[in-house]
Amino acid sequence: MRSTLLKALTIAGVLSTTLSVTNTAFAAEKIIKIDGSSTVYPITEAVAEEFQKEKKVKVTVGESGTGGGFKKFCRGETDISNASRPIAQKEMDACKEAGIQFIELPIAFDALTVVVNSKNDWVKSLSVDELKKIWQPGSSVKNWKQVNSTYPDKAMGLYGPGTASGTFDYFTEAVNGKSKASRTDYTPSEDDNVLVQGVTGNMGGMAYFGLAYYEENKDKLRAVPIAAKAGGPAVLPSAATVMDGTYQPLSRPIFIYVNATSAAFKPEVKAFVNYYLEHAPALVKEVKYVPLTSEDYAAVKDHFKTLKPGTGFGGKNEVGIKVKDLINRIK
Amino acid sequence: MNSNIQKNKASVIENLDAVRAMIKRHKRNDILFATIGLIAIMFGLLALLTLFVDLVMDGYPRFNIQFFSDFPSRRAGSAGLLSAWVGSLLVMLVTFLTAVPIGVAAGLYLEEYAPKNWFSDLIEINVSNLAGVPSIIYGLLALGLFVYGLNLGQSILTAGLTLGLLILPIVIVSTREAIRAIPIAIREAAYAVGATKWQVVKDHIVKYSQGGILTGVIIGMSRALGETAPIITIGALTFIAFLPPSPITTEVPFINFEWLSSSFTVLPIQMFNWLSRPDHAFHINAAATGAIIIVVTLLMNGTAIWLRYKIRKNIKW
């Protein structure tokens, strides 16, 4: 036992010495560390890919989820955090404690899409109230007939994202009125492709996830037009309806949070964010998300120039906010 | 007299029939069991084969040089595995360098030196238990110990050490089993001519158990190659479009250790990332990566079997 221990200790000792040497050498290298939401990941990845082709700066992007990303961000481990929802009060406290300030930048829209099986021909539209009836905590809806008496007698199969997801947070906030409040007897998965498969294989199936997953599976699924108020106009999610603000309440801005110190003192981080906002309109479209309007991007760029830290949300999620109002608030 | 013999003969014939019937019955059982065994083997093999064929069918458009020489990309068609396979290779190197010396030394000690008492029994039970601990637990341990405790960060070193810990029990157990297979007479003969314990261990035990140890090491390594959970737990990244600094340089001292602290990604993580994309073209990449991981694992296990055969052949007891 003693010999093993000694060996292990020696190895640990040698390794930590080599590492302390290498760490100092490593610090000189330009590297931008990004982590966070898997929803925002495709956009940031596209920007990082293009940016690295032009500049000699290394960019790493992880996908620990919005919450996991903020944990690392507020420990000062990352320069930028991808977020599919605004920073929460707890996370703000953690950042404050570590002395980390952040600049909040909306960079695109995502539209939560409610989908049903392509053979489902009875649902023409759903109102938010009907969605709430189905998804609220303790809901007893198990059959389409219970939603509307004109619907056929067909068992309902519900699929949705896991509780750690920002999509879940936003949907429950927008539909049930309280973040994370949802019925629990549905099939959850962190992998949206599993949800796609679930609804594809179940005629009475229903799920919600980001627009990009619907766009890729249009041949297998049908998106349901959503009416904000019962009896009001029902709107299908699309780039156009998200940008003109008619697809409500299920469209939401998504963000990057930039470490204010990095933005001020690391020129490569500043260059990266500027590059991000400059190329977002084209790249966001390419990865099948909805870009902000050009005026909004201009406003976000101006806001970043001031390097003013803070959030426009005050630690709470908010349904149906306009990017322009948000920027004005942070200003 | 005569009738007695007649009687005996009849009973023998009667007995013979009974014996023949018994042999027949036993043979039938034999065949029955062989069939069950064959079905059991086929069940495992067919499952693996189906999986492999399915992956190859899905992934074959991506089996080309570019797939190995390109960095990941948002465009599925030009996305490649370069940073992932280099990352896997370097992580495996660290794993090998930590798990093998520690594991073999621990196995040797437990088998040859450790006094047989309750304490070594306790260690033995613990080592066997460690082999069954879910890999995510190792990930959590590594997150606390390596990433934050020793402040090694989300680096190749952290991942290599984590996987090293993970396969340590496998290496220890296989080392001990290989040592146990050596006949006691070898040891006694060496001691009889005046060898010290260390001489016996160095010149005989290690030498003859090489085959078994190597098998254990390679099987452990092939397990480490496919591990995803602990690597995700320590926070490996998914988009890395650069390579770690090269371990070998052209300047004196020709070796550098910067790569140890580099960010990295590995094959199973890249596969996982591609699989969770909405775009189906990425699922093809994921299938191709899966097929590659299976091929490498099979190659490693094949090498282990071959080496064991080769080394065993040269040992005559």
Side-chain angles (χ1 to χ4, degrees), chain B residues 83-153:
Chain B
S83 46
W85 74 256
V86 172
S88 273
L89 196 74
L90 291 174
V91 169
M92 288 295 111
L93 184 68
V94 177
T95 302
F96 183 82
L97 291 179
T98 46
V100 173
I102 298 177
V104 172
L108 270 173
Y109 176 80
L110 285 174
E111 205 57 32
E112 295 294 316
Y113 292 88
K116 298 277 172 272
N117 55 23
W118 65 270
F119 188 63
S120 52
D121 282 348
L122 192 72
I123 293 176
E124 185 163 346
I125 292 167
N126 268 310
V127 170
S128 316
N129 265 339
L130 278 181
V133 169
S135 57
I136 187 106
I137 304 288
Y138 286 93
L140 290 170
L141 168 76
L143 184 69
L145 182 65
F146 299 137
V147 178
Y148 295 119
L150 296 174
N151 214 3
L152 301 184

Coordinates of all heavy atoms in Angstrom, one line a residue, chain B residues 83-153:
Chain B
S83 N -10.1 17.7 -34.4 CA -9.8 18.0 -33.0 C -10.3 16.9 -32.1 O -9.7 16.7 -31.0 CB -10.5 19.3 -32.7 OG -11.8 19.4 -33.1
A84 N -11.3 16.1 -32.5 CA -11.8 15.1 -31.6 C -10.9 13.9 -31.6 O -10.6 13.4 -30.5 CB -13.2 14.6 -32.1
W85 N -10.4 13.4 -32.7 CA -9.5 12.2 -32.6 C -8.1 12.6 -32.0 O -7.6 11.8 -31.3 CB -9.4 11.4 -33.9 CG -8.6 12.0 -35.1 CD1 -9.1 12.6 -36.2 CD2 -7.2 11.9 -35.3 NE1 -8.1 12.9 -37.0 CE2 -6.9 12.6 -36.5 CE3 -6.1 11.5 -34.5 CZ2 -5.6 12.7 -37.0 CZ3 -4.8 11.6 -35.0 CH2 -4.6 12.2 -36.2
V86 N -7.6 13.8 -32.3 CA -6.4 14.2 -31.7 C -6.6 14.3 -30.2 O -5.7 13.8 -29.4 CB -5.8 15.5 -32.3 CG1 -4.6 16.0 -31.5 CG2 -5.5 15.3 -33.7
G87 N -7.7 14.9 -29.8 CA -8.0 15.0 -28.3 C -8.1 13.6 -27.7 O -7.5 13.4 -26.6
S88 N -8.8 12.7 -28.3 CA -9.0 11.3 -27.8 C -7.6 10.7 -27.6 O -7.3 10.1 -26.6 CB -9.8 10.5 -28.7 OG -11.2 10.6 -28.4
L89 N -6.7 10.8 -28.6 CA -5.4 10.2 -28.6 C -4.6 10.7 -27.4 O -4.0 10.0 -26.7 CB -4.7 10.5 -29.9 CG -3.5 9.7 -30.3 CD1 -3.9 8.3 -30.7 CD2 -2.7 10.3 -31.4
L90 N -4.6 12.1 -27.3 CA -3.8 12.7 -26.2 C -4.3 12.3 -24.8 O -3.6 12.0 -23.9 CB -3.7 14.2 -26.4 CG -2.9 14.7 -27.6 CD1 -3.0 16.2 -27.8 CD2 -1.4 14.2 -27.5
V91 N -5.7 12.3 -24.7 CA -6.3 11.9 -23.4 C -5.9 10.4 -23.1 O -5.5 10.1 -22.0 CB -7.8 12.1 -23.5 CG1 -8.5 11.4 -22.3 CG2 -8.2 13.5 -23.5
M92 N -6.0 9.6 -24.1 CA -5.6 8.2 -23.9 C -4.1 8.0 -23.5 O -3.8 7.2 -22.7 CB -5.8 7.4 -25.2 CG -7.2 7.1 -25.6 SD -8.1 6.1 -24.4 CE -9.1 7.3 -23.7
L93 N -3.3 8.9 -24.0 CA -1.9 8.8 -23.7 C -1.7 9.1 -22.2 O -1.0 8.4 -21.5 CB -1.1 9.9 -24.5 CG 0.4 9.9 -24.3 CD1 1.0 8.6 -24.9 CD2 1.0 11.1 -25.0
V94 N -2.4 10.2 -21.7 CA -2.3 10.5 -20.3 C -2.9 9.3 -19.4 O -2.3 8.9 -18.4 CB -3.0 11.8 -20.0 CG1 -3.0 12.1 -18.5 CG2 -2.4 12.9 -20.7
T95 N -4.0 8.8 -19.9 CA -4.6 7.7 -19.2 C -3.7 6.5 -19.1 O -3.5 5.9 -18.0 CB -5.9 7.2 -19.9 OG1 -6.8 8.4 -20.1 CG2 -6.6 6.1 -19.2
F96 N -3.0 6.2 -20.2 CA -2.1 5.1 -20.2 C -1.0 5.3 -19.2 O -0.6 4.4 -18.4 CB -1.6 4.9 -21.6 CG -0.7 3.7 -21.8 CD1 -1.2 2.5 -22.0 CD2 0.7 3.9 -21.8 CE1 -0.3 1.4 -22.2 CE2 1.6 2.8 -21.9 CZ 1.0 1.6 -22.1
L97 N -0.4 6.5 -19.3 CA 0.8 6.8 -18.5 C 0.5 6.8 -17.0 O 1.4 6.6 -16.2 CB 1.4 8.1 -18.9 CG 2.1 8.1 -20.3 CD1 2.7 9.4 -20.6 CD2 3.2 7.0 -20.3
T98 N -0.8 7.1 -16.6 CA -1.1 7.1 -15.2 C -1.6 5.7 -14.7 O -1.2 5.2 -13.7 CB -2.2 8.1 -14.8 OG1 -3.2 8.0 -15.8 CG2 -1.6 9.5 -14.8
A99 N -2.6 5.1 -15.5 CA -3.2 3.9 -15.0 C -2.3 2.7 -15.0 O -2.3 1.9 -14.1 CB -4.4 3.6 -15.9
V100 N -1.4 2.6 -16.0 CA -0.5 1.4 -16.1 C 0.5 1.3 -15.0 O 0.5 0.3 -14.3 CB 0.1 1.3 -17.5 CG1 1.1 0.2 -17.5 CG2 -1.0 1.1 -18.5
P101 N 1.3 2.3 -14.8 CA 2.3 2.2 -13.7 C 1.7 2.0 -12.3 O 2.0 1.1 -11.6 CB 3.1 3.5 -13.7 CG 2.8 4.2 -15.0 CD 1.5 3.6 -15.5
I102 N 0.6 2.8 -12.0 CA 0.0 2.8 -10.7 C -0.7 1.4 -10.6 O -0.6 0.7 -9.6 CB -1.0 3.9 -10.5 CG1 -0.2 5.3 -10.5 CG2 -1.7 3.8 -9.2 CD1 -1.1 6.5 -10.4
G103 N -1.5 1.1 -11.6 CA -2.3 -0.2 -11.6 C -1.4 -1.4 -11.4 O -1.7 -2.3 -10.6
V104 N -0.4 -1.5 -12.2 CA 0.5 -2.7 -12.2 C 1.2 -2.7 -10.8 O 1.3 -3.8 -10.2 CB 1.5 -2.7 -13.4 CG1 2.5 -3.8 -13.2 CG2 0.8 -2.8 -14.7
A105 N 1.7 -1.6 -10.4 CA 2.4 -1.6 -9.1 C 1.5 -2.0 -8.0 O 1.8 -2.8 -7.1 CB 3.0 -0.2 -8.8
A106 N 0.2 -1.5 -8.0 CA -0.7 -1.8 -7.0 C -1.0 -3.3 -7.0 O -1.1 -4.0 -6.0 CB -2.0 -1.0 -7.1
G107 N -1.2 -3.8 -8.2 CA -1.6 -5.2 -8.4 C -0.4 -6.1 -7.8 O -0.7 -7.1 -7.1
L108 N 0.8 -5.8 -8.2 CA 2.0 -6.5 -7.7 C 2.1 -6.5 -6.2 O 2.3 -7.5 -5.6 CB 3.2 -5.9 -8.3 CG 3.7 -6.4 -9.7 CD1 4.9 -5.6 -10.2 CD2 4.1 -7.9 -9.5
Y109 N 1.9 -5.3 -5.7 CA 2.0 -5.2 -4.2 C 0.9 -6.0 -3.5 O 1.3 -6.8 -2.6 CB 1.8 -3.7 -3.8 CG 1.8 -3.5 -2.3 CD1 3.0 -3.5 -1.6 CD2 0.6 -3.4 -1.6 CE1 3.0 -3.4 -0.2 CE2 0.6 -3.3 -0.2 CZ 1.8 -3.3 0.5 OH 1.8 -3.2 1.8
L110 N -0.3 -5.9 -4.0 CA -1.4 -6.7 -3.3 C -1.2 -8.2 -3.4 O -1.4 -8.9 -2.5 CB -2.7 -6.3 -4.0 CG -3.3 -5.0 -3.6 CD1 -4.6 -4.7 -4.4 CD2 -3.6 -4.9 -2.1
E111 N -0.6 -8.6 -4.5 CA -0.5 -10.0 -4.8 C 0.8 -10.6 -4.1 O 0.8 -11.7 -3.6 CB -0.5 -10.3 -6.3 CG -0.9 -11.7 -6.7 CD -2.3 -12.0 -6.2 OE1 -3.2 -11.1 -6.0 OE2 -2.5 -13.2 -5.9
E112 N 1.9 -9.8 -4.2 CA 3.2 -10.3 -3.8 C 3.6 -9.9 -2.4 O 4.3 -10.6 -1.6 CB 4.2 -10.0 -4.8 CG 4.0 -10.6 -6.1 CD 4.2 -12.1 -6.1 OE1 5.2 -12.6 -5.5 OE2 3.4 -12.8 -6.7
Y113 N 3.3 -8.6 -2.1 CA 3.9 -8.1 -0.8 C 3.0 -7.9 0.3 O 3.3 -8.1 1.5 CB 4.5 -6.7 -1.1 CG 5.7 -6.7 -2.0 CD1 5.6 -6.7 -3.4 CD2 7.0 -6.8 -1.4 CE1 6.7 -6.7 -4.2 CE2 8.1 -6.8 -2.2 CZ 8.0 -6.8 -3.6 OH 9.1 -6.8 -4.4
A114 N 1.7 -7.6 0.0 CA 0.8 -7.2 1.1 C 0.6 -8.4 2.1 O 0.4 -9.5 1.6 CB -0.6 -6.9 0.5
P115 N 0.7 -8.1 3.4 CA 0.4 -9.2 4.3 C -1.1 -9.5 4.3 O -1.9 -8.7 4.0 CB 0.7 -8.5 5.7 CG 0.6 -7.0 5.4 CD 0.9 -6.8 4.0
K116 N -1.4 -10.8 4.5 CA -2.8 -11.2 4.4 C -3.5 -10.9 5.7 O -3.4 -11.7 6.7 CB -2.9 -12.7 4.1 CG -2.3 -13.1 2.8 CD -3.3 -12.8 1.6 CE -2.6 -13.0 0.2 NZ -2.0 -11.8 -0.3
N117 N -4.1 -9.8 5.8 CA -4.9 -9.5 7.1 C -6.1 -8.7 6.7 O -6.4 -8.6 5.5 CB -4.0 -8.6 8.0 CG -3.5 -7.4 7.4 OD1 -4.0 -6.9 6.4 ND2 -2.4 -6.9 7.9
W118 N -6.9 -8.3 7.7 CA -8.2 -7.7 7.4 C -8.0 -6.4 6.6 O -8.8 -6.1 5.8 CB -8.9 -7.4 8.7 CG -8.2 -6.3 9.6 CD1 -7.3 -6.6 10.5 CD2 -8.3 -4.9 9.5 NE1 -6.8 -5.4 11.1 CE2 -7.5 -4.4 10.5 CE3 -9.1 -4.1 8.7 CZ2 -7.3 -3.0 10.7 CZ3 -9.0 -2.7 9.0 CH2 -8.1 -2.2 9.9
F119 N -6.9 -5.7 6.7 CA -6.7 -4.5 6.0 C -6.5 -4.7 4.5 O -7.1 -4.1 3.7 CB -5.4 -3.7 6.5 CG -5.3 -2.4 6.0 CD1 -6.3 -1.4 6.2 CD2 -4.2 -2.0 5.2 CE1 -6.1 -0.1 5.7 CE2 -4.1 -0.8 4.7 CZ -5.0 0.2 4.9
S120 N -5.7 -5.7 4.2 CA -5.6 -6.0 2.7 C -6.8 -6.6 2.2 O -7.2 -6.4 1.0 CB -4.4 -6.9 2.5 OG -4.4 -8.1 3.2
D121 N -7.6 -7.3 3.0 CA -8.9 -7.8 2.5 C -9.8 -6.6 2.2 O -10.5 -6.6 1.2 CB -9.6 -8.6 3.6 CG -9.0 -10.0 3.7 OD1 -8.3 -10.4 2.8 OD2 -9.3 -10.7 4.7
L122 N -9.8 -5.6 3.1 CA -10.6 -4.4 2.9 C -10.2 -3.7 1.6 O -11.1 -3.4 0.8 CB -10.4 -3.5 4.1 CG -11.3 -2.3 4.2 CD1 -12.7 -2.8 4.6 CD2 -10.8 -1.3 5.1
I123 N -8.9 -3.6 1.3 CA -8.5 -3.0 0.1 C -9.0 -3.8 -1.1 O -9.5 -3.3 -2.1 CB -6.9 -2.9 0.1 CG1 -6.5 -1.9 1.1 CG2 -6.4 -2.5 -1.3 CD1 -5.0 -1.8 1.3
E124 N -8.8 -5.1 -1.0 CA -9.2 -6.0 -2.1 C -10.7 -5.8 -2.4 O -11.1 -5.7 -3.6 CB -9.0 -7.4 -1.7 CG -9.2 -8.4 -2.8 CD -8.6 -9.8 -2.5 OE1 -7.7 -9.8 -1.6 OE2 -8.9 -10.7 -3.2
I125 N -11.5 -5.8 -1.4 CA -13.0 -5.6 -1.6 C -13.2 -4.3 -2.3 O -14.0 -4.2 -3.2 CB -13.8 -5.7 -0.3 CG1 -13.7 -7.1 0.3 CG2 -15.2 -5.3 -0.5 CD1 -14.1 -7.3 1.7
N126 N -12.5 -3.3 -1.8 CA -12.7 -1.9 -2.4 C -12.3 -1.8 -3.8 O -13.0 -1.2 -4.6 CB -11.9 -0.9 -1.5 CG -12.8 -0.3 -0.4 OD1 -13.9 0.1 -0.7 ND2 -12.3 -0.4 0.8
V127 N -11.2 -2.5 -4.2 CA -10.8 -2.4 -5.5 C -11.8 -3.1 -6.5 O -12.2 -2.5 -7.5 CB -9.4 -3.1 -5.7 CG1 -9.1 -3.3 -7.2 CG2 -8.3 -2.3 -5.0
S128 N -12.3 -4.2 -6.0 CA -13.3 -4.9 -6.8 C -14.6 -4.0 -6.9 O -15.2 -4.0 -8.0 CB -13.7 -6.2 -6.2 OG -12.6 -6.9 -5.8
N129 N -14.9 -3.4 -5.8 CA -16.1 -2.5 -5.9 C -15.9 -1.3 -6.8 O -16.8 -0.9 -7.5 CB -16.4 -1.9 -4.5 CG -17.4 -2.8 -3.7 OD1 -18.2 -3.5 -4.4 ND2 -17.4 -2.7 -2.4
L130 N -14.7 -0.8 -6.8 CA -14.4 0.4 -7.6 C -14.7 0.1 -9.1 O -15.1 0.9 -9.9 CB -13.0 0.8 -7.5 CG -12.7 1.7 -6.3 CD1 -11.2 2.1 -6.2 CD2 -13.5 3.0 -6.3
A131 N -14.4 -1.2 -9.5 CA -14.5 -1.6 -10.9 C -16.0 -1.5 -11.3 O -16.3 -1.4 -12.5 CB -14.0 -3.0 -11.1
G132 N -16.9 -1.5 -10.3 CA -18.3 -1.5 -10.6 C -19.0 -0.1 -10.4 O -20.2 0.0 -10.6
V133 N -18.2 0.9 -10.0 CA -18.8 2.2 -9.7 C -19.1 2.8 -11.1 O -18.3 2.8 -12.0 CB -17.7 3.1 -9.0 CG1 -18.2 4.5 -8.9 CG2 -17.6 2.5 -7.6
P134 N -20.3 3.4 -11.2 CA -20.7 4.1 -12.4 C -19.7 5.2 -12.8 O -19.2 5.9 -11.9 CB -22.1 4.7 -12.1 CG -22.6 4.0 -10.9 CD -21.4 3.5 -10.2
S135 N -19.5 5.3 -14.1 CA -18.4 6.2 -14.5 C -18.7 7.7 -14.2 O -17.8 8.5 -14.0 CB -18.2 6.1 -16.0 OG -19.4 6.3 -16.7
I136 N -20.0 8.0 -14.1 CA -20.3 9.4 -13.8 C -19.8 9.8 -12.4 O -19.4 11.0 -12.2 CB -21.9 9.6 -13.8 CG1 -22.3 11.1 -13.7 CG2 -22.6 8.9 -12.8 CD1 -22.7 11.7 -15.0
I137 N -19.7 8.9 -11.5 CA -19.2 9.1 -10.2 C -17.7 9.6 -10.3 O -17.2 10.5 -9.6 CB -19.2 7.9 -9.3 CG1 -20.7 7.4 -9.2 CG2 -18.7 8.1 -7.9 CD1 -21.6 8.2 -8.4
Y138 N -17.0 8.9 -11.2 CA -15.6 9.3 -11.4 C -15.5 10.7 -11.9 O -14.6 11.5 -11.6 CB -14.9 8.4 -12.4 CG -14.5 7.0 -11.8 CD1 -15.4 6.0 -11.9 CD2 -13.4 6.9 -11.0 CE1 -15.1 4.7 -11.3 CE2 -13.0 5.6 -10.5 CZ -13.9 4.6 -10.6 OH -13.6 3.4 -10.0
G139 N -16.5 11.0 -12.8 CA -16.6 12.4 -13.4 C -16.8 13.4 -12.3 O -16.1 14.5 -12.2
L140 N -17.7 13.1 -11.3 CA -18.0 14.1 -10.2 C -16.7 14.2 -9.3 O -16.4 15.3 -8.9 CB -19.2 13.6 -9.4 CG -20.5 13.7 -10.2 CD1 -21.6 13.0 -9.4 CD2 -20.9 15.1 -10.4
L141 N -16.1 13.1 -9.1 CA -14.9 13.1 -8.2 C -13.8 14.0 -8.9 O -13.2 14.9 -8.3 CB -14.3 11.7 -8.1 CG -12.9 11.6 -7.5 CD1 -13.0 11.8 -6.0 CD2 -12.3 10.2 -7.8
A142 N -13.7 13.8 -10.2 CA -12.7 14.5 -10.9 C -13.0 16.0 -11.0 O -12.1 16.9 -10.9 CB -12.5 14.0 -12.4
L143 N -14.3 16.4 -11.1 CA -14.7 17.8 -11.1 C -14.3 18.4 -9.8 O -13.7 19.5 -9.8 CB -16.2 17.9 -11.3 CG -16.8 19.3 -11.5 CD1 -16.3 19.9 -12.8 CD2 -18.3 19.3 -11.4
G144 N -14.5 17.8 -8.7 CA -14.2 18.4 -7.4 C -12.7 18.3 -7.2 O -12.1 19.3 -6.7
L145 N -12.0 17.2 -7.5 CA -10.6 17.1 -7.1 C -9.7 17.7 -8.2 O -8.9 18.6 -7.8 CB -10.3 15.6 -7.0 CG -8.9 15.2 -6.6 CD1 -8.6 15.7 -5.2 CD2 -8.6 13.7 -6.7
F146 N -9.8 17.3 -9.4 CA -8.8 17.8 -10.4 C -9.1 19.2 -10.9 O -8.3 20.1 -10.9 CB -8.8 16.9 -11.6 CG -8.3 15.5 -11.2 CD1 -9.0 14.4 -11.8 CD2 -7.2 15.3 -10.4 CE1 -8.6 13.1 -11.4 CE2 -6.8 14.0 -10.0 CZ -7.5 12.9 -10.6
V147 N -10.4 19.4 -11.3 CA -10.8 20.7 -11.9 C -10.7 21.8 -10.9 O -10.0 22.9 -11.2 CB -12.2 20.6 -12.5 CG1 -12.6 22.0 -13.2 CG2 -12.3 19.6 -13.6
Y148 N -11.3 21.7 -9.7 CA -11.3 22.8 -8.8 C -10.3 22.6 -7.6 O -9.7 23.6 -7.3 CB -12.7 23.0 -8.2 CG -13.7 23.4 -9.3 CD1 -14.8 22.7 -9.7 CD2 -13.4 24.6 -10.0 CE1 -15.6 23.1 -10.7 CE2 -14.2 25.0 -11.1 CZ -15.3 24.2 -11.4 OH -16.1 24.6 -12.4
G149 N -10.2 21.4 -7.1 CA -9.3 21.1 -6.0 C -7.8 21.4 -6.4 O -7.2 22.3 -5.8
L150 N -7.3 20.7 -7.4 CA -6.0 20.9 -7.8 C -5.8 22.0 -8.9 O -4.8 22.3 -9.4 CB -5.4 19.6 -8.4 CG -5.3 18.5 -7.4 CD1 -4.9 17.2 -8.0 CD2 -4.3 18.8 -6.3
N151 N -7.0 22.6 -9.3 CA -7.0 23.7 -10.2 C -6.4 23.3 -11.6 O -5.7 24.1 -12.2 CB -6.3 24.9 -9.6 CG -6.9 26.2 -10.1 OD1 -7.9 26.1 -10.8 ND2 -6.3 27.3 -9.7
L152 N -6.7 22.1 -12.1 CA -6.1 21.7 -13.3 C -7.0 22.2 -14.5 O -6.6 22.0 -15.7 CB -5.9 20.2 -13.4 CG -5.0 19.6 -12.3 CD1 -4.9 18.1 -12.6 CD2 -3.7 20.3 -12.3
G153 N -8.2 22.7 -14.2 CA -9.1 23.1 -15.3 C -9.7 22.0 -16.1 O -9.5 20.9 -15.9

